[in-house]
Amino acid sequence: MNADPATDVFEEHRPVLTGVAYRMLGRITDAEDVVQEAWLRWSSADREEVREPRAYLVRITTRLAVDRLRHLRSRREAYVGPWLPEPLTTEEAVGSPPVPDAAERAVLADSVSFAVLVVLESLSPLERAVFVLREAFGFPYAEIAAALDRTEPAVRQLAGRARRHVGERRPRYDVDPAERRDLTERFLAAASGGSIERLMALLAPDVRLISDAGGKAKAALRTIESADKVGRFLAAVAQEVGPDWDMRVAEFNGGPAVACFVGGKPDTFLQLEARDGAIQCIYIVRNPDKLSGLSALFDL
């Protein structure tokens, strides 16, 4: 058993801190860096003056994440092609302590979905912080105001603006896990079997495909739209699938996804969004910097 109470307290709240940081930054490595910095500040703090450790740690983590997000903005503006989050496994958790209520867990899982995280990229760092703390974790406005060193009325205004922005831009998809998994497996079977007809039958007329390689692998440099164009792109990709490809289906970012390995190394991450039984959006991540953690998850 750990004999250090400060470490015990920090580890108790680490899942929440990591969850906040990931939703703010969209990268596991960036989130872990922020949480590590929060630990260093916590370890050197005068804890006798800290009445509520959870609020104190969330405040530190949020401010560090806001600062890092501001720094990352210039790098993301120069990013090659579309930007997508780093895949986060949610097989057992969603960046927070266990949630017994299914509806509450669904809200937490939805807040790490690609659809939501992509929209959050268009918020200001402060708007994103308020949205994450309020909508994903349900923090009181007074606590958020203290974390951001803002007045409560100002935080409420930020929350309203962020909520409207996300509501206007966020696509509406079905959230039935069983249906999404079935559609994912049918898509995978059609693609790996080279059946273009079966593949096209799964696509909605206005389907979109967004791929992120960061200029470090082959990928579309712009969003592809329409069943015809997406189908032709996927047909070309399917021709490259060989016997050395290993495809695993697991839960990432709140829904089923496919992790593809070639020669034992992570090559591609793919996730589908659906509505009315048809594929509405396909997310593909091929940036090797965002796939490096997949091997450990599958013991490869």
Side-chain angles (χ1 to χ4, degrees), residues 35-113:
V35 173
Q36 179 62 24
E37 180 64 27
W39 158 249
L40 294 175
R41 298 196 182 193
W42 167 252
S43 63
S44 62
D46 184 353
R47 283 176 290 280
E48 291 184 359
E49 297 183 0
V50 178
R51 288 179 295 178
E52 298 180 13
R54 179 174 179 267
Y56 178 85
L57 289 169
V58 168
R59 181 165 68 250
I60 292 174
T61 300
T62 302
R63 291 181 179 180
L64 289 170
V66 167
D67 289 343
R68 178 166 289 232
L69 186 57
R70 286 171 173 158
H71 174 71
L72 290 173
R73 279 295 167 92
S74 60
R75 286 166 49 188
R76 290 185 184 175
E77 288 174 0
Y79 197 78
V80 178
W83 181 95
L84 289 173
E86 179 179 352
L88 172 73
T89 177
T90 49
E91 197 76 48
E92 298 179 354
V94 287
S96 63
V99 180
D101 181 77
E104 190 175 349
R105 189 183 190 283
V107 170
L108 282 165
D110 183 60
S111 69
V112 292
S113 71

Side-chain angles (χ1 to χ4, degrees), residues 151-232:
T151 65
E152 189 171 333
V155 165
R156 288 180 180 274
Q157 195 172 43
L158 285 167
R161 191 159 60 235
R163 199 179 298 115
R164 285 192 301 273
H165 183 96
V166 174
E168 290 169 357
R169 291 164 176 77
R170 178 190 170 189
R172 297 299 173 188
Y173 301 126
D174 292 337
V175 293
D176 185 333
E179 183 176 340
R180 284 183 70 189
R181 188 174 186 94
D182 175 67
L183 197 57
T184 299
E185 291 175 346
R186 287 162 57 200
F187 174 89
L188 192 58
S192 59
S195 176
I196 304 305
E197 293 78 12
R198 288 170 58 197
L199 197 60
M200 292 292 292
L202 300 175
L203 304 178
D206 57 348
V207 63
R208 300 164 67 238
L209 185 147
I210 307 171
S211 54
D212 171 355
K216 300 181 178 182
K218 287 178 62 178
L221 294 177
R222 295 180 179 82
T223 298
I224 302 175
E225 300 181 350
S226 84
D228 178 60
K229 292 180 180 179
V230 169
R232 282 191 279 125

